[in-house]
Amino acid sequence: MDASVTITALEGAGFDVFVPGYHMLNTFPHLGVALGGVPIMVRQPHVKEAATFLAALPQPETASESGCIGVWGALGRIFASLFFLSTGTAPSLRGVFRRDP
């Protein structure tokens, strides 16, 4: 989902975006983690401009930044642990895989 939002933002700003394997990753999202994330590419002359654009977008505050996960965060972690122990499958990651240019 993070990749889709990033791609949409870049395309909306007028960048030519290429994402190898995009349709496969939409069909099998768990492969995004297995393959090391979703590579989002722009044309070489626009790399720094695109990185500056993405860095300027507002970022939501995460639990690690606020220093407190709260009751719902703790319950979510407990649920995720129980889910993993009962099914052997981890819930999807909610992170941004970003490599600096």
Side-chain angles (χ1 to χ4, degrees):
M1 189 162 104
D2 292 334
S4 295
V5 171
T6 303
I7 293 164
T8 303
L10 286 169
E11 288 177 340
F15 292 100
D16 256 346
V17 181
F18 175 68
V19 184
Y22 179 72
H23 297 294
M24 181 189 66
L25 292 170
N26 273 339
T27 306
F28 305 108
H30 59 282
L31 290 180
V33 176
L35 298 175
V38 179
I40 300 173
M41 302 177 186
V42 296
R43 296 190 184 275
Q44 184 62 35
H46 305 289
V47 170
K48 289 186 181 182
E49 185 182 351
T52 304
F53 170 75
L54 291 174
L57 294 176
Q59 300 292 320
E61 183 179 303
T62 62
S64 62
E65 291 172 353
S66 66
C68 177
I69 62 169
V71 173
W72 293 113
L75 288 175
R77 288 184 179 181
I78 291 170
F79 174 75
S81 299
L82 292 174
F83 183 80
F84 174 73
L85 291 173
S86 64
T87 65
T89 307
S92 62
L93 295 176
R94 293 180 196 88
V96 177
F97 296 95
R98 180 178 163 188
R99 293 183 186 149
D100 291 326

